[in-house]
Amino acid sequence: MSTFVFRLEAPRPNFALDMTDEEREIMGRHAAYWQPLVEAGRMVVFGPVLDDSGSWGLGVVESENEDELRAFAARDPAVTSGTANIEVGKMLAGFVRPR
C-alpha cells in the first residue's frame, strides 16, 4: 500500500479564518466527501493547517490505486466548484503508527 499527501490550496491566505457562507458550505461538502476514507481507516490525517504562509488543507491517505485516488481528489466539491485546488504527492517511504 502506498501513502499519498494532499495539499488543498485555498484561494487566499486567510481562507480558513474568513470564509464566506457559500465557501463554508462548500468546505462542509469537501469534508463530508472525504469522510468515507476517514471511516475506512485509509485517511491517516485530514484537516486545515495554519502556518506563516496562511491556511491550507492537509490529507494523508493510504491507497493501492493511485489513479483512482487522484480521480477521487479531482471530484472533490472544493475542486469542482473552483474554490480550491488539490496537489497530490506520493510519499517515497513513510512510517505510520500501528492502528
Side-chain angles (χ1 to χ4, degrees), residues 17-84:
L17 304 174
D18 66 3
M19 280 185 261
T20 65
D21 289 342
E22 179 182 357
E23 290 169 333
R24 189 170 279 95
E25 188 273 330
I26 291 167
M27 295 311 290
R29 288 190 286 131
H30 155 75
Y33 182 76
W34 290 94
Q35 191 62 37
L37 293 179
V38 173
E39 292 170 358
R42 293 177 54 201
M43 182 71 73
V44 177
V45 64
F46 179 80
V49 176
L50 295 175
D51 66 16
D52 291 340
S53 69
S55 63
W56 50 278
L58 171 68
V60 178
V61 180
E62 295 175 319
S63 180
E64 294 195 25
N65 188 326
E66 181 174 353
D67 292 336
E68 181 181 286
L69 191 57
R70 286 179 180 275
F72 185 82
R75 294 187 303 269
D76 181 319
V79 174
T80 60
S81 68
T83 302

